Each structure stands twice: as structure tokens, then as C-alpha cells.
Amino acid sequence: MTLLANSAPVEVPLPDPAVFDELDARNHALWAAARLEHVSENSELVGFRRESLRTSHAARLAILCEQLAAASNEKIRRMRQSQLDNAVADFARHMAELDIAEAQVDIHAQPVAYGVMVVERGTNE
């Protein structure tokens, strides 16, 4: 992008349109490979996050269930049950967020410019 920002127009003949079609096809193949790799890496990361969430949720539930079982006062039992219900809802919400994050992963590509770039040796060399 720096090259484009610092460029100046020049008059050169454009190559045959087939050359641009070939470049588009090559770019598409590179994009498709990068997208597959990105989707795979994201899926692996989401898997790690899911497993971490399951582990922490199980530990949280164990503590809350223990506290609920130990409570004898009805108001405390209702409070502990509410905490337990909130923990289950919180877990479901986070799992849904991970599902959405995994489903929406993508790499977007769009052309920035079409043309020919002439590269000349600089005077600083």
C-alpha cells in the first residue's frame, strides 16, 4: 500500500486482459488457501476456548452445588439456586458466542487497483 500511496502515473501500454484474468485466478487460489488455513486455525482456537470454558464451568458448578447443598436457610438456598441458574445461562451464552465466532470467520479480499507498476532503481543505491 505504501508503494501505491507514493506512486505517480506513467504512460505504459497495458498488457492483454488475459494477464489480469490470470493474476485474478492466482490471487483467488492464494486467497482460498489462506482462508482454509485461517478457518482451521480459528476452529482450533475456538476448540481450546470451548474446552477451557467447560472446565471452568464445571468447577464453578461444583462450588455452587456444594454451597447450595450446605445452605439450610431458605433465602440462602434461593440465592444459591439463582447463582447456579445464572452460571448455567452464562455458560450457554458464552458457548453460543463461540459458535457464532467460529461460523463467521472469513478473510475478505477485494481489488485495490488494476494496472501496471513500473519499478525503477532509486538514486539512493
Side-chain angles (χ1 to χ4, degrees):
M1 295 307 283
T2 303
L3 291 175
L4 288 176
N6 296 324
S7 65
V10 294
E11 292 295 324
V12 295
L14 291 178
D16 187 87
V19 171
F20 291 112
D21 293 341
E22 184 179 324
L23 285 172
D24 278 342
R26 184 163 185 236
N27 183 58
H28 185 270
L30 291 171
W31 167 82
R35 183 183 182 280
L36 283 176
E37 182 178 340
H38 182 65
V39 167
S40 175
E41 289 173 357
N42 185 67
S43 182
E44 187 176 331
L45 178 62
V46 167
F48 288 136
R49 288 185 177 168
R50 275 192 187 109
E51 194 54 40
S52 175
L53 183 59
R54 283 185 190 105
T55 301
S56 63
H57 177 66
R60 186 176 177 194
L61 284 184
I63 291 169
L64 291 172
C65 286
E66 184 180 306
Q67 290 173 341
L68 177 61
S72 56
N73 183 304
E74 186 56 34
K75 288 182 181 181
I76 300 296
R77 289 186 59 74
R78 278 198 311 266
M79 180 185 75
R80 297 295 185 208
Q81 184 61 52
S82 178
Q83 288 176 327
L84 189 61
D85 294 344
N86 288 338
V88 170
D90 189 47
F91 173 76
R93 182 178 54 83
H94 280 91
M95 288 297 274
E97 288 172 357
L98 288 174
D99 291 342
I100 291 168
E102 186 174 31
Q104 291 181 343
V105 66
D106 203 351
I107 295 176
H108 300 280
Q110 63 186 38
V112 176
Y114 286 100
V116 175
M117 185 177 288
V118 177
V119 180
E120 297 176 351
R121 184 175 297 262
T123 58
N124 300 19
E125 294 181 24

